[in-house]
Amino acid sequence: MAKEANEVALAMVRPLDRAFFGRDPRRVARELLGKVLVRGRVGQPAHPRQNACDRLAARIVEVEAYLGEKDPASHAAAGNTARTSVLFGPPGFAYVYFIYGTHYCLNVSCGREGKGGGVLFRALEPLLGIEEMAAARGVELQSPRDLPKLTSGPGRLAQAFGITRTRDNGCDLTSVQSSLWLGDDGFRSSKIGVTPRIGITKAAERPLRYLLEGNRFVSGRLASTNAPR
DNA sequence: TTATGGATTAGCT
DNA sequence: GCTAATCCATAAA
């Protein structure tokens, strides 16, 4: 498949600032929908030594809020440990954990320092670096129907972006100097859906999963059940 | 020191 | 629909 067919030009992407993440994780989760996750420099002056395979970008279409120490489903419920210390630190930093012996998952720390809030990235829509994402995932792209295999699901999107704990845990997601950061390209979100979180056993009934209604990159089969608050 | 199980995915029935 | 894969933080001892 031609690379140009699916890649979208990103004119300007402005990084999100610390204050954006220093709010309630539910608010941050909702407002992260439509924003862009970037690996490398996109919409910024290209670095002379940077090659194309370091430039990845994808739109956020599904996230979950984790409310911190008092949320039993959150890793922060165990308190501030070596594993979860990023969640308890200042907002806007990457919390990466390893799960089921096979997958990494990406979160961003949210809310006031010490509270342990965070947002889990569950699905993205690829914009730039699609061939590189397919290579990282070991997926052969034969039709547009294969695209969701790249970034639809928390483990998948982490693999597509080459995210690991060693490489990315603690990374500042508000800085374009970071190899991983979050930005706004002016995209306006369509209708937002809210449903219970997926794959958890504790506090599983709480509606803390946010998604762009009708977006084909949203993971799972669970349909939207609640109107936005 | 050892035991347990999880914010998942792919592949097979 | 079922389950293996297979790491590591945490709890129990």
Side-chain angles (χ1 to χ4, degrees):
Chain A
M1 180 167 36
K3 191 181 206 174
E4 296 75 19
N6 289 295
E7 290 193 350
V8 176
L10 288 171
M12 187 65 191
V13 188
R14 308 171 67 89
L16 302 175
D17 63 19
R18 190 83 52 215
F20 179 95
F21 298 101
R23 302 175 290 171
D24 186 288
R26 287 165 287 202
R27 181 88 183 277
V28 177
R30 173 182 295 276
E31 294 195 21
L32 273 175
L33 291 174
K35 300 300 190 291
V36 180
L37 178 68
V38 179
R39 175 71 95 187
R41 298 188 178 206
V42 171
Q44 305 285 329
H47 191 284
R49 287 172 54 201
Q50 183 177 47
N51 60 43
C53 64
D54 292 328
R55 296 159 61 87
L56 305 176
R59 194 170 311 288
I60 299 163
V61 301
E62 178 188 348
V63 293
E64 283 177 358
Y66 286 84
L67 307 184
E69 257 180 324
K70 284 174 285 185
D71 178 356
S74 170
H75 290 184
N80 188 342
T81 66
R83 182 201 194 189
T84 61
S85 63
V86 175
L87 285 176
F88 288 90
F93 288 81
Y95 167 56
V96 179
Y97 66 88
F98 197 69
I99 192 77
Y100 298 125
T102 34
H103 305 289
Y104 290 96
C105 293
L106 173 67
N107 301 248
V108 57
S109 59
C110 296
R112 294 194 48 175
E113 187 168 350
K115 295 291 187 185
V119 170
L120 168 71
F121 294 82
R122 285 199 55 93
L124 309 173
E125 176 173 351
L127 299 176
L128 187 64
I130 287 170
E131 295 296 329
E132 289 76 11
M133 292 183 202
R137 289 271 301 119
V139 166
E140 189 180 350
L141 292 177
Q142 296 181 326
S143 88
R145 305 183 72 86
D146 295 325
L147 287 172
K149 293 178 187 170
L150 302 182
T151 52
S152 182
R156 288 169 168 179
L157 72 86
Q159 189 178 26
F161 272 70
I163 291 167
T164 65
R165 183 169 170 86
T166 306
R167 186 177 179 188
D168 298 301
N169 191 54
C171 176
D172 183 358
L173 298 178
T174 68
S175 170
V176 297
Q177 310 292 5
S178 297
S179 80
L180 197 65
W181 53 279
L182 290 162
D184 185 347
D185 69 343
F187 178 87
R188 291 283 173 183
S189 292
S190 51
K191 191 177 176 191
I192 292 173
V194 184
T195 83
R197 294 177 291 189
I198 289 182
I200 56 172
T201 53
K202 300 163 191 163
E205 75 293 343
R206 304 189 63 175
L208 294 172
R209 172 178 177 243
Y210 301 81
L211 52 89
L212 291 184
E213 288 277 3
N215 186 289
R216 72 192 185 98
F217 292 90
V218 169
S219 74
R221 306 173 204 165
L222 197 54
S224 167
T225 54
N226 299 303
R229 255 193 285 227

CSV table of all heavy atoms in Angstrom, one decimal, chain A residues 170-208:
chain,number,residue,atom,x,y,z
A,170,GLY,N,8.9,7.9,32.8
A,170,GLY,CA,9.4,9.1,33.4
A,170,GLY,C,9.7,10.2,32.4
A,170,GLY,O,10.2,11.3,32.7
A,171,CYS,N,9.5,10.0,31.1
A,171,CYS,CA,9.7,10.9,30.0
A,171,CYS,C,8.7,12.1,30.1
A,171,CYS,O,7.5,11.9,30.4
A,171,CYS,CB,9.5,10.2,28.7
A,171,CYS,SG,9.6,11.3,27.2
A,172,ASP,N,9.2,13.3,29.9
A,172,ASP,CA,8.4,14.5,30.0
A,172,ASP,C,7.6,14.7,28.7
A,172,ASP,O,8.2,15.0,27.7
A,172,ASP,CB,9.3,15.8,30.2
A,172,ASP,CG,8.4,17.0,30.4
A,172,ASP,OD1,7.2,17.0,30.3
A,172,ASP,OD2,9.0,18.1,30.7
A,173,LEU,N,6.3,14.4,28.8
A,173,LEU,CA,5.5,14.5,27.5
A,173,LEU,C,5.0,15.9,27.1
A,173,LEU,O,4.3,16.0,26.1
A,173,LEU,CB,4.2,13.6,27.7
A,173,LEU,CG,4.5,12.1,28.0
A,173,LEU,CD1,3.2,11.3,28.2
A,173,LEU,CD2,5.3,11.5,26.9
A,174,THR,N,5.5,16.9,27.9
A,174,THR,CA,5.1,18.3,27.5
A,174,THR,C,6.3,18.9,26.7
A,174,THR,O,6.2,20.1,26.3
A,174,THR,CB,4.8,19.1,28.7
A,174,THR,OG1,6.0,19.3,29.5
A,174,THR,CG2,3.8,18.5,29.6
A,175,SER,N,7.4,18.2,26.5
A,175,SER,CA,8.6,18.9,25.9
A,175,SER,C,8.8,18.3,24.5
A,175,SER,O,9.0,17.1,24.3
A,175,SER,CB,9.8,18.6,26.8
A,175,SER,OG,11.0,19.0,26.1
A,176,VAL,N,9.0,19.2,23.5
A,176,VAL,CA,9.3,18.7,22.2
A,176,VAL,C,10.7,18.2,22.1
A,176,VAL,O,11.1,17.6,21.1
A,176,VAL,CB,9.1,19.8,21.1
A,176,VAL,CG1,7.6,20.2,21.0
A,176,VAL,CG2,10.0,21.0,21.4
A,177,GLN,N,11.5,18.4,23.1
A,177,GLN,CA,12.8,17.9,23.2
A,177,GLN,C,12.8,16.4,23.5
A,177,GLN,O,13.7,15.7,23.3
A,177,GLN,CB,13.7,18.6,24.3
A,177,GLN,CG,13.7,20.1,24.2
A,177,GLN,CD,14.4,20.6,22.9
A,177,GLN,OE1,14.8,19.9,22.1
A,177,GLN,NE2,14.4,21.9,22.8
A,178,SER,N,11.7,15.9,24.2
A,178,SER,CA,11.6,14.5,24.5
A,178,SER,C,11.4,13.7,23.2
A,178,SER,O,10.8,14.3,22.2
A,178,SER,CB,10.3,14.3,25.4
A,178,SER,OG,10.5,15.0,26.6
A,179,SER,N,11.7,12.5,23.2
A,179,SER,CA,11.5,11.7,22.0
A,179,SER,C,10.0,11.3,21.9
A,179,SER,O,9.5,10.8,20.9
A,179,SER,CB,12.4,10.4,22.0
A,179,SER,OG,11.8,9.4,22.9
A,180,LEU,N,9.3,11.5,23.0
A,180,LEU,CA,7.8,11.2,23.1
A,180,LEU,C,7.1,12.4,23.7
A,180,LEU,O,7.5,12.8,24.8
A,180,LEU,CB,7.6,9.9,23.9
A,180,LEU,CG,6.3,9.2,23.7
A,180,LEU,CD1,6.1,8.6,22.3
A,180,LEU,CD2,6.2,8.1,24.7
A,181,TRP,N,6.1,12.9,23.0
A,181,TRP,CA,5.4,14.1,23.6
A,181,TRP,C,4.0,14.2,23.0
A,181,TRP,O,3.6,13.4,22.1
A,181,TRP,CB,6.2,15.4,23.4
A,181,TRP,CG,6.6,15.7,22.0
A,181,TRP,CD1,7.6,15.2,21.3
A,181,TRP,CD2,5.9,16.6,21.1
A,181,TRP,NE1,7.7,15.7,20.0
A,181,TRP,CE2,6.6,16.6,19.8
A,181,TRP,CE3,4.8,17.4,21.2
A,181,TRP,CZ2,6.3,17.4,18.7
A,181,TRP,CZ3,4.4,18.2,20.1
A,181,TRP,CH2,5.2,18.2,18.9
A,182,LEU,N,3.2,15.1,23.6
A,182,LEU,CA,1.8,15.2,23.3
A,182,LEU,C,1.5,16.6,22.8
A,182,LEU,O,2.0,17.6,23.4
A,182,LEU,CB,0.9,14.9,24.5
A,182,LEU,CG,0.9,13.4,24.9
A,182,LEU,CD1,0.4,13.3,26.4
A,182,LEU,CD2,0.1,12.6,24.0
A,183,GLY,N,0.8,16.7,21.7
A,183,GLY,CA,0.5,18.0,21.1
A,183,GLY,C,-0.9,18.2,20.6
A,183,GLY,O,-1.7,17.3,20.5
A,184,ASP,N,-1.2,19.4,20.2
A,184,ASP,CA,-2.5,19.8,19.6
A,184,ASP,C,-2.3,20.4,18.2
A,184,ASP,O,-1.5,21.3,18.0
A,184,ASP,CB,-3.1,20.9,20.5
A,184,ASP,CG,-4.5,21.3,20.1
A,184,ASP,OD1,-4.9,20.9,19.0
A,184,ASP,OD2,-5.2,22.0,20.9
A,185,ASP,N,-2.9,19.8,17.3
A,185,ASP,CA,-2.8,20.2,15.9
A,185,ASP,C,-4.0,21.0,15.4
A,185,ASP,O,-4.2,21.2,14.2
A,185,ASP,CB,-2.5,19.1,14.9
A,185,ASP,CG,-3.6,18.1,14.8
A,185,ASP,OD1,-4.6,18.1,15.6
A,185,ASP,OD2,-3.6,17.3,13.8
A,186,GLY,N,-4.9,21.3,16.3
A,186,GLY,CA,-6.1,22.1,16.0
A,186,GLY,C,-7.3,21.2,15.7
A,186,GLY,O,-8.4,21.8,15.4
A,187,PHE,N,-7.2,19.9,15.7
A,187,PHE,CA,-8.3,19.0,15.4
A,187,PHE,C,-9.4,19.2,16.4
A,187,PHE,O,-9.2,19.4,17.6
A,187,PHE,CB,-7.8,17.6,15.5
A,187,PHE,CG,-8.8,16.5,15.3
A,187,PHE,CD1,-9.1,16.1,14.0
A,187,PHE,CD2,-9.5,16.0,16.4
A,187,PHE,CE1,-10.1,15.1,13.8
A,187,PHE,CE2,-10.5,15.0,16.2
A,187,PHE,CZ,-10.8,14.6,14.9
A,188,ARG,N,-10.6,19.2,15.9
A,188,ARG,CA,-11.8,19.4,16.8
A,188,ARG,C,-12.4,18.0,17.0
A,188,ARG,O,-12.9,17.4,16.0
A,188,ARG,CB,-12.8,20.4,16.2
A,188,ARG,CG,-12.3,21.8,16.2
A,188,ARG,CD,-12.4,22.4,17.6
A,188,ARG,NE,-11.8,23.7,17.6
A,188,ARG,CZ,-11.7,24.4,18.8
A,188,ARG,NH1,-12.2,23.9,19.9
A,188,ARG,NH2,-11.1,25.6,18.7
A,189,SER,N,-12.6,17.6,18.2
A,189,SER,CA,-13.2,16.3,18.5
A,189,SER,C,-14.7,16.3,18.1
A,189,SER,O,-15.4,17.2,18.3
A,189,SER,CB,-13.1,15.9,20.0
A,189,SER,OG,-11.7,15.7,20.3
A,190,SER,N,-15.1,15.1,17.5
A,190,SER,CA,-16.5,15.0,17.3
A,190,SER,C,-17.2,14.5,18.6
A,190,SER,O,-16.7,14.7,19.6
A,190,SER,CB,-16.7,13.9,16.2
A,190,SER,OG,-15.9,12.8,16.4
A,191,LYS,N,-18.2,13.8,18.5
A,191,LYS,CA,-19.0,13.3,19.6
A,191,LYS,C,-18.1,12.4,20.5
A,191,LYS,O,-17.5,11.4,20.0
A,191,LYS,CB,-20.3,12.6,19.2
A,191,LYS,CG,-21.2,12.4,20.4
A,191,LYS,CD,-22.5,11.7,19.9
A,191,LYS,CE,-23.4,11.4,21.0
A,191,LYS,NZ,-24.5,10.5,20.6
A,192,ILE,N,-18.2,12.7,21.8
A,192,ILE,CA,-17.4,11.9,22.8
A,192,ILE,C,-18.3,10.9,23.5
A,192,ILE,O,-19.4,11.3,24.0
A,192,ILE,CB,-16.7,12.8,23.8
A,192,ILE,CG1,-15.6,13.6,23.1
A,192,ILE,CG2,-16.1,12.0,24.9
A,192,ILE,CD1,-15.0,14.7,23.9
A,193,GLY,N,-17.9,9.6,23.6
A,193,GLY,CA,-18.6,8.6,24.3
A,193,GLY,C,-17.9,8.3,25.6
A,193,GLY,O,-16.7,8.4,25.7
A,194,VAL,N,-18.7,7.8,26.6
A,194,VAL,CA,-18.2,7.5,27.9
A,194,VAL,C,-18.7,6.1,28.3
A,194,VAL,O,-19.9,5.9,28.2
A,194,VAL,CB,-18.5,8.5,29.0
A,194,VAL,CG1,-17.9,8.1,30.3
A,194,VAL,CG2,-18.2,9.9,28.6
A,195,THR,N,-17.8,5.1,28.6
A,195,THR,CA,-18.2,3.8,29.0
A,195,THR,C,-17.4,3.3,30.2
A,195,THR,O,-16.5,4.0,30.6
A,195,THR,CB,-18.0,2.8,27.9
A,195,THR,OG1,-16.6,2.4,27.9
A,195,THR,CG2,-18.3,3.4,26.5
A,196,PRO,N,-17.8,2.2,30.8
A,196,PRO,CA,-16.9,1.6,31.8
A,196,PRO,C,-15.6,1.2,31.3
A,196,PRO,O,-15.4,1.0,30.1
A,196,PRO,CB,-17.7,0.4,32.3
A,196,PRO,CG,-19.1,0.6,31.9
A,196,PRO,CD,-19.0,1.4,30.7
A,197,ARG,N,-14.6,1.2,32.2
A,197,ARG,CA,-13.2,0.8,31.8
A,197,ARG,C,-13.2,-0.7,31.4
A,197,ARG,O,-14.0,-1.5,31.9
A,197,ARG,CB,-12.2,1.2,32.9
A,197,ARG,CG,-12.1,2.6,33.1
A,197,ARG,CD,-11.2,3.0,34.3
A,197,ARG,NE,-11.8,2.6,35.6
A,197,ARG,CZ,-11.3,2.9,36.8
A,197,ARG,NH1,-10.2,3.7,36.8
A,197,ARG,NH2,-11.8,2.6,37.9
A,198,ILE,N,-12.2,-1.0,30.6
A,198,ILE,CA,-12.0,-2.4,30.0
A,198,ILE,C,-10.9,-3.1,30.7
A,198,ILE,O,-9.9,-2.6,31.0
A,198,ILE,CB,-11.8,-2.3,28.5
A,198,ILE,CG1,-13.0,-1.8,27.8
A,198,ILE,CG2,-11.3,-3.6,28.0
A,198,ILE,CD1,-12.8,-1.7,26.3
A,199,GLY,N,-11.2,-4.4,31.0
A,199,GLY,CA,-10.1,-5.4,31.4
A,199,GLY,C,-9.7,-5.3,32.8
A,199,GLY,O,-8.8,-5.9,33.2
A,200,ILE,N,-10.5,-4.6,33.6
A,200,ILE,CA,-10.2,-4.5,35.1
A,200,ILE,C,-11.2,-5.3,35.9
A,200,ILE,O,-12.3,-5.6,35.4
A,200,ILE,CB,-10.1,-3.0,35.5
A,200,ILE,CG1,-11.5,-2.3,35.2
A,200,ILE,CG2,-9.0,-2.2,34.9
A,200,ILE,CD1,-11.6,-1.0,35.9
A,201,THR,N,-10.8,-5.6,37.1
A,201,THR,CA,-11.7,-6.4,38.0
A,201,THR,C,-12.2,-5.6,39.1
A,201,THR,O,-13.3,-5.9,39.6
A,201,THR,CB,-10.9,-7.6,38.6
A,201,THR,OG1,-9.7,-7.1,39.2
A,201,THR,CG2,-10.5,-8.6,37.5
A,202,LYS,N,-11.5,-4.5,39.5
A,202,LYS,CA,-11.9,-3.7,40.6
A,202,LYS,C,-12.5,-2.4,40.1
A,202,LYS,O,-12.0,-1.8,39.2
A,202,LYS,CB,-10.7,-3.4,41.5
A,202,LYS,CG,-10.1,-4.6,42.1
A,202,LYS,CD,-8.7,-4.3,42.7
A,202,LYS,CE,-8.0,-5.6,43.0
A,202,LYS,NZ,-6.5,-5.3,43.2
A,203,ALA,N,-13.6,-1.9,40.7
A,203,ALA,CA,-14.3,-0.7,40.3
A,203,ALA,C,-14.6,-0.7,38.8
A,203,ALA,O,-14.5,0.3,38.1
A,203,ALA,CB,-13.4,0.5,40.7
A,204,ALA,N,-14.9,-1.9,38.3
A,204,ALA,CA,-15.1,-2.0,36.8
A,204,ALA,C,-16.3,-1.3,36.3
A,204,ALA,O,-16.5,-1.2,35.1
A,204,ALA,CB,-15.1,-3.5,36.5
A,205,GLU,N,-17.2,-1.0,37.2
A,205,GLU,CA,-18.5,-0.4,36.7
A,205,GLU,C,-18.4,1.1,36.5
A,205,GLU,O,-19.3,1.7,35.8
A,205,GLU,CB,-19.6,-0.7,37.7
A,205,GLU,CG,-19.6,0.2,39.0
A,205,GLU,CD,-18.4,-0.1,39.9
A,205,GLU,OE1,-17.7,-1.2,39.7
A,205,GLU,OE2,-18.1,0.7,40.8
A,206,ARG,N,-17.4,1.8,36.9
A,206,ARG,CA,-17.3,3.2,36.8
A,206,ARG,C,-17.1,3.7,35.4
A,206,ARG,O,-16.2,3.2,34.7
A,206,ARG,CB,-16.2,3.8,37.8
A,206,ARG,CG,-16.4,3.3,39.2
A,206,ARG,CD,-15.4,4.1,40.1
A,206,ARG,NE,-15.7,5.5,40.1
A,206,ARG,CZ,-15.1,6.4,40.9
A,206,ARG,NH1,-14.1,5.9,41.7
A,206,ARG,NH2,-15.4,7.6,40.9
A,207,PRO,N,-17.9,4.6,34.9
A,207,PRO,CA,-17.7,5.1,33.5
A,207,PRO,C,-16.5,6.1,33.4
A,207,PRO,O,-16.7,7.3,33.5
A,207,PRO,CB,-19.0,5.8,33.3
A,207,PRO,CG,-19.5,6.3,34.6
A,207,PRO,CD,-19.0,5.3,35.6
A,208,LEU,N,-15.4,5.5,33.1
A,208,LEU,CA,-14.1,6.4,33.1
A,208,LEU,C,-13.4,6.1,31.8
A,208,LEU,O,-12.2,6.6,31.7
A,208,LEU,CB,-13.2,6.1,34.3
A,208,LEU,CG,-13.9,6.5,35.6
A,208,LEU,CD1,-13.0,6.0,36.8
A,208,LEU,CD2,-14.0,8.0,35.7
